[in-house]
Amino acid sequence: MAVKFELIKECGRTKARLGRLHTAHGVIETPVFMPVGTQATVKAMTPEELQEMGTEIILSNTYHLYLRPGEDLIREAGGLHRFMNWDRPILTDSGGFQVFSLGPLRKVSEDGVTFKSHLDGSTHFMSPERATEIQMALGADIIMAFDECAPYPSTREYTEAALERTTRWAGRCKEAHGRDDQALFGIVQGGMYKDLRERSARELVDIGFPGYGIGGLSVGEPKLLMYEMLEYTVPLLPRDKPRYLMGVGSPDCLIEGVMRGVDMFDCVLPTRIARNGTVMTSRGRVVIKNADNTRDFRPLDDECSCYTCRNYSRAYIRHLFKAEEILGLRLTTIHNLYFLLTLMKKVRKAIAEDRLPEFRQEFFAEYGYE
């Protein structure tokens, strides 16, 4: 098998679980947060820096790599791992979310999606088979089925039609997939309708995949509604397969997702807000560009041992941002990724010690969540 999921422990008081996901390029301890390297790079980071802070898997994006530089060039380079000098696991999403985010720039049919590139306006066509073919050329350890992600809010009629198309496309992706060293995950859709979520999950399980993404959440709905959908959807998925909540990366959502049985997460949030000068700390978010940091010679977080916090002060990093120096956004990016990766280590430890509810309460109190 391309991947093997080893379920180590289930938490008695929540649905959280510890696991190990074995791939051709290494073992991933779950629950895990995956930094996003959209265009074959995690912005502002080197692969060596990611490895030093404990990153076990990263995510790249099929849509963007298809447009630039193209899967043929990456295949010629020896695959995505060799192209970007990353020897640990990689997951590529199918590009479905990006294509459907183009709005009026795309047209959906049963065959696939015709869309215009956001780069130059050129016309392209992406089918389930084509999305799978591109991902096989990229060579990631885990790839995702091409799906239709319904926006929030959406009518029941549209959501049901998108679900049905997603199921049909998932079957076509599975038929098109032909790499034994690569795992294809299906993606559950169904919007905010419980019965549609159930239908999608059951249909995908009937097709059979080595893992399952949960899509169509974190698309603008209230967090409590997302948690409600997770509570209903996750138990419908196989106990012995990894569950991947797509596009989620705030500390509260990571913890709440883990408590509902999710094993894998990804999000651009930590790197994106870092480039805008916002950092996560044990006592909540800090906007480093604010004037109150001008003469603050403390680290970003007194409790953090990342490279940034060991070596630089808030005052210095604020100076870098005000002077528009690249080092500033690199230092905040290093910190934010380290913060989330360390948070997930603490979550795994809390699960192992049967104290995840207590950890959640302590973390939320410190961070400032209600």
Side-chain angles (χ1 to χ4, degrees):
M1 294 179 63
V3 299
K4 176 185 175 183
F5 183 65
E6 178 186 359
L7 185 57
I8 298 171
K9 178 182 175 65
E10 294 176 289
C11 185
R13 293 183 292 158
T14 70
K15 296 175 182 175
R17 62 225 210 121
L18 284 178
R20 291 193 186 99
L21 185 57
H22 300 259
T23 77
H25 286 89
V27 178
I28 303 154
E29 301 289 337
T30 65
V32 63
F33 174 76
M34 301 180 285
V36 175
T38 301
Q39 302 188 90
T41 176
V42 177
K43 285 183 171 57
M45 300 290 294
T46 68
E48 292 77 13
E49 287 169 335
L50 290 168
Q51 289 189 12
E52 286 171 7
M53 66 173 61
T55 306
E56 294 180 336
I57 177 173
I58 62 172
L59 179 145
S60 286
N61 181 261
T62 297
Y63 166 82
H64 289 281
L65 294 177
Y66 156 73
L67 290 177
R68 182 176 57 191
E71 78 275 13
D72 289 341
L73 186 148
I74 293 176
R75 177 167 40 204
E76 184 181 341
L80 191 55
H81 291 87
R82 184 169 296 177
F83 184 59
M84 64 182 297
N85 190 34
W86 177 257
D87 62 2
R88 296 185 181 184
I90 299 174
L91 182 150
T92 49
D93 63 13
S94 68
F97 179 80
Q98 285 72 28
V99 167
F100 283 96
S101 297
L102 293 173
L105 296 178
R106 51 90 175 145
K107 182 178 180 181
V108 185
S109 69
E110 185 60 30
D111 289 337
V113 184
T114 302
F115 63 96
K116 291 187 177 181
S117 165
H118 72 286
L119 296 175
D120 59 11
S122 57
T123 300
H124 301 263
F125 176 74
M126 188 73 72
S127 66
E129 292 81 5
R130 185 73 178 105
T132 305
E133 177 185 81
I134 294 168
Q135 291 184 89
M136 286 194 292
L138 297 177
D141 301 88
I142 300 170
I143 69 173
M144 304 303 296
F146 192 62
D147 63 324
E148 181 170 356
C149 180
Y152 176 83
S154 290
T155 65
R156 181 182 176 87
E157 290 73 21
Y158 175 85
T159 304
E160 186 169 15
L163 178 162
E164 292 171 350
R165 188 175 288 116
T166 290
T167 299
R168 292 191 294 270
W169 285 358
R172 288 165 58 183
C173 287
K174 185 173 181 179
E175 289 183 8
H177 187 240
R179 283 191 65 155
D180 294 335
D181 61 343
Q182 187 179 65
L184 170 68
F185 284 17
I187 302 177
V188 177
Q189 290 292 347
M192 306 303 153
Y193 302 92
K194 289 183 179 180
D195 61 321
L196 297 185
R197 285 275 166 188
E198 179 177 359
R199 177 179 169 186
S200 179
R202 296 199 186 285
E203 289 176 351
L204 289 174
V205 171
D206 285 344
I207 296 173
F209 294 94
Y212 296 87
I214 303 169
L217 296 178
S218 191
V219 290
E221 78 281 5
K223 288 182 179 180
L224 290 179
L225 181 55
M226 180 178 73
Y227 300 154
E228 181 182 346
M229 290 301 106
L230 282 178
E231 287 172 1
Y232 189 77
T233 304
V234 171
L236 301 171
L237 300 175
R239 175 174 170 269
D240 62 344
K241 303 288 178 64
R243 299 108 168 226
Y244 163 30
L245 177 56
M246 308 177 74
V248 167
S250 63
D252 55 336
C253 289
L254 293 178
I255 295 172
E256 296 286 359
V258 167
M259 293 184 74
R260 289 161 174 81
V262 175
D263 305 301
M264 304 169 68
F265 305 83
D266 82 280
C267 196
V268 298
L269 175 74
T271 50
R272 178 173 290 168
I273 67 172
R275 296 194 303 277
N276 291 323
T278 299
V279 293
M280 305 171 186
T281 78
S282 56
R283 292 174 177 80
R285 289 192 183 188
V286 170
V287 179
I288 200 62
K289 291 185 285 188
N290 286 352
D292 58 359
N293 294 307
T294 303
R295 288 178 171 80
D296 191 336
F297 301 108
R298 295 176 299 161
L300 295 175
D301 187 347
D302 292 328
E303 299 180 16
C304 181
S305 58
C306 76
Y307 169 79
T308 302
C309 289
R310 293 197 315 269
N311 293 284
Y312 301 101
S313 69
R314 296 184 180 196
Y316 178 66
I317 298 171
R318 179 182 186 274
H319 156 70
L320 294 175
F321 269 90
K322 300 303 285 187
E324 299 184 352
E325 288 287 346
I326 294 172
L327 180 59
L329 59 87
R330 276 190 27 81
L331 293 177
T332 51
T333 300
I334 288 169
H335 171 80
N336 277 355
L337 288 176
Y338 185 95
F339 181 86
L340 286 190
L341 293 170
T342 301
L343 173 63
M344 297 308 285
K345 288 180 183 177
K346 293 176 180 177
V347 166
R348 292 194 294 268
K349 185 173 186 290
I351 297 172
E353 296 173 352
D354 287 317
R355 58 177 309 273
L356 185 57
E358 290 80 6
F359 174 82
R360 176 199 178 277
Q361 184 176 3
E362 294 162 5
F363 179 85
F364 274 43
E366 283 287 306
Y367 201 88
Y369 292 126
E370 296 182 359

